[in-house]
């Protein structure tokens, strides 16, 4: 799969394409259906398939300070789109000048002149161009003008329409299982392991304190079962994945004030992950974050959390 940053990266001899367009934050089941439709149409037309996405999030440019919590970082988003079978992912820098393009200008500049669109596949609620003036019908009209077919894909629903907003709402409520259902996989928080207070190690549960990028969509405070994976590291642990108990919160038993994401790889006290880039995948919420009357009560509860996390992750592994 090819990756381009900006239209200038598209090879001058690039042939006809079927293009699918969206922010694709989360690459959830709705996005997956849309991308799948684009890949299938490209095969039918004998063209390449291209996913066009944007960085930064358009909301941050149009309404500064309103950036929604981000479900996937751009690198991860590109990986997920590639796994769905597209031939290329084109990340367009979203600027104020770009946002002021008319629908016709966007189509001609991005889709026709550079990507040579034979087909364009979007969600049925797709809006584009300055002040969101263009919609699916606009795209179909422009398709007649520029010789491409425009296809609108219905929203996927599991009782309510699956969207990035829905996934964020479920994460904010701590319902990571429902978020995973909409995503088609566990929600992931990525970041670098940094040194924290090292209280977990002192209590017998050494945790990886994960510092994630700004705007990361972090589930509600609580304790979760899931997995910890090293995605980039100079250590021999790169690529390894372990069942984990995960804590999000401010450590109220110790009167903490900084919100952290900490993951304990079950039954491993020998891992040195400082500086490693890791991924934390959330499977199930176990309980709320609580303030305990004593350190011993906290330790007892942590043992119970670990047992529950072990039971859940073992059951998930056997079901795969």
């Amino acid at each position: 799969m090819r990756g381009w940053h900006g239209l200038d990266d598209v090879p001058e001899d690039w042939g006809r394409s079927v293009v699918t367009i969206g922010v694709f934050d989360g690459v959830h089941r709705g996005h997956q259906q849309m991308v799948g439709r684009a890949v299938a149409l490209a095969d039918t037309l004998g063209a390449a398939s291209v996913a066009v996405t944007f960085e930064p999030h358009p909301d941050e440019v149009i309404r500064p300070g309103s950036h929604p919590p981000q479900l996937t970082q751009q690198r991860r988003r590109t990986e997920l789109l590639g796994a769905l079978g597209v031939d290329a992912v084109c990340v367009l820098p979203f600027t104020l000048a770009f946002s002021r393009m008319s629908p016709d200008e966007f189509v001609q500049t991005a889709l026709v002149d550079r990507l040579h669109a034979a087909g364009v596949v979007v969600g049925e609620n797709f809006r584009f161009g300055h002040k969101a003036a263009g919609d699916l019908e606009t795209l179909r009209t422009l398709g007649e003008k520029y010789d491409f077919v425009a296809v609108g894909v219905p929203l996927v629903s599991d009782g309510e329409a699956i969207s990035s907003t829905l996934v964020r709402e479920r994460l904010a409520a701590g319902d990571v299982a429902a978020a995973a259902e909409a995503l088609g996989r566990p929600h992931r928080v990525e970041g670098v392991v940094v040194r924290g207070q090292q209280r977990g190690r002192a209590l017998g549960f050494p945790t990886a304190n994960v510092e994630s990028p700004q705007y990361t969509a972090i589930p509600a405070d609580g304790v979760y079962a899931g997995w910890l994976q090293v995605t980039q590291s100079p250590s021999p642990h790169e690529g390894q994945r372990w069942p984990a108990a995960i804590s999000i919160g401010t450590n109220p038993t110790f009167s903490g004030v900084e919100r952290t994401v900490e993951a304990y790889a079950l039954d491993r006290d020998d891992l040195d992950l400082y500086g490693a880039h890791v991924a934390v995948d959330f499977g199930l919420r176990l309980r709320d974050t609580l303030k305990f009357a004593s350190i011993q009560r906290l330790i007892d509860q942590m043992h119970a959390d670990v047992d529950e996390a072990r039971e859940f992750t073992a059951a998930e592994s056997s079901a795969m």
Side-chain angles (χ1 to χ4, degrees):
M1 185 201 71
R2 299 194 184 199
W4 305 317
H5 193 270
L7 293 172
D8 288 343
D9 272 0
V10 180
E12 291 186 3
D13 61 350
W14 186 254
R16 295 280 271 172
S17 301
V18 172
V19 183
T20 183
I21 311 165
V23 177
F24 294 120
D25 190 19
V27 194
H28 54 62
R29 285 169 46 213
H31 295 144
Q32 292 163 29
Q33 178 166 292
M34 189 167 73
V35 173
R37 184 74 175 273
V39 170
L41 180 59
D43 288 344
T44 299
L45 298 178
S49 55
V50 179
V52 170
T53 184
F54 308 98
E55 185 73 17
H57 195 287
D59 283 356
E60 181 63 18
V61 175
I62 297 169
R63 294 176 292 276
S66 65
H67 197 304
Q70 203 164 15
L71 300 174
T72 47
Q73 302 301 315
Q74 185 58 60
R75 180 184 59 82
R76 171 69 168 161
R77 197 178 316 157
T78 298
E79 289 174 355
L80 291 169
L81 290 168
L84 295 175
V86 296
D87 295 303
V89 174
C90 183
V91 181
L92 297 184
F94 198 92
T95 63
L96 273 176
F98 184 90
S99 73
R100 291 170 179 154
M101 281 187 177
S102 69
D104 192 307
E105 186 180 5
F106 168 73
V107 167
Q108 183 177 10
T109 301
L111 306 185
V112 177
D113 291 349
R114 298 312 300 258
L115 296 174
H116 311 301
V120 180
V121 179
V122 295
E124 61 182 9
N125 62 344
F126 179 67
R127 307 290 304 207
F128 68 108
H130 186 47
K131 295 186 177 179
D135 59 11
L136 180 57
E137 288 307 311
T138 309
L139 194 61
R140 285 175 172 151
T141 299
L142 291 170
E144 294 175 359
K145 177 180 178 180
Y146 292 111
D147 191 28
F148 63 81
V149 60
V151 178
V153 178
L155 300 177
V156 175
S157 175
D158 60 357
E160 53 186 321
I162 292 176
S163 66
S164 300
T165 298
L166 176 67
V167 177
R168 293 185 193 103
E169 290 172 350
R170 291 177 173 179
L171 293 173
D175 194 348
V176 294
E181 179 65 25
L183 289 167
R185 65 183 184 281
H187 174 62
R188 171 172 289 189
V189 168
E190 297 187 78
V192 176
V193 178
V194 298
R195 292 191 181 274
Q197 299 294 323
Q198 297 187 307
R199 293 193 182 101
R201 182 172 299 277
L203 299 174
F205 301 92
T207 59
N209 189 339
V210 183
E211 185 176 80
S212 55
Q214 186 181 24
Y215 302 128
T216 296
I218 296 175
D221 288 4
V223 176
Y224 299 84
W227 297 267
L228 172 65
Q229 178 176 340
V230 179
T231 55
Q232 297 176 31
S233 174
S235 79
H237 299 301
E238 184 170 352
Q240 294 188 43
R241 187 173 189 254
W242 307 279
I246 307 150
S247 174
I248 300 175
T250 59
N251 293 308
T253 301
F254 297 95
S255 300
V257 294
E258 182 180 356
R259 190 169 188 248
T260 60
V261 177
E262 299 179 71
Y264 165 61
L266 302 186
D267 307 314
R268 297 297 300 264
D269 60 5
D270 59 335
L271 300 177
D272 181 1
L273 300 180
Y274 293 120
H277 191 284
V278 300
V280 179
D281 292 333
F282 292 83
L284 181 70
R285 182 180 174 88
L286 302 180
R287 64 173 176 85
D288 292 340
T289 298
L290 302 172
K291 182 173 183 176
F292 292 89
S294 69
I295 302 302
Q296 187 56 53
R297 288 188 181 181
L298 170 60
I299 293 173
D300 292 344
Q301 182 60 57
M302 292 172 74
H303 279 289
D305 295 337
V306 166
D307 289 344
E308 195 170 353
R310 184 182 293 108
E311 181 178 350
F312 170 78
T313 53
E316 289 294 298
S317 296
S318 64
M320 292 180 179

